[in-house]
Amino acid sequence: MPLEEKKTFVEDPKPNMTTEEKNRHLSYMLGTAPHHGRNIFRIERVEIGASGWWIHYRTESSD
């Protein structure tokens, strides 16, 4: 089956977090559903507008 690329946004839970808090939050989120076990190929930090992380992953396409 072909792979389909998708992405989801994980928003920071509170404003003005330290770098360590941001990284700990991302680590926690990657270990919980639905992110645990996803075929993640890229993670991007977003600071303009909403702050958080774009998580890019691949899934099997239904085609």
Side-chain angles (χ1 to χ4, degrees):
M1 287 189 162
L3 294 177
E4 182 178 349
E5 292 186 359
K6 297 183 178 183
K7 67 180 181 177
T8 187
F9 188 71
V10 175
E11 190 171 359
D12 291 343
K14 61 183 183 177
N16 303 318
M17 294 173 66
T18 67
T19 300
E20 184 177 344
E21 289 172 325
K22 294 172 188 176
N23 290 334
R24 283 186 189 200
H25 178 66
L26 174 63
S27 177
Y28 170 77
M29 294 302 291
L30 291 175
T32 61
H35 308 294
H36 181 72
R38 282 191 169 159
N39 186 9
I40 296 170
F41 66 93
R42 181 174 57 205
I43 298 174
E44 295 177 275
R45 180 70 193 159
V46 178
E47 294 284 345
I48 299 172
S51 62
W53 305 89
W54 276 115
I55 300 173
H56 299 259
Y57 60 99
R58 294 183 177 107
T59 61
E60 289 187 7
S61 175
S62 58
D63 294 341

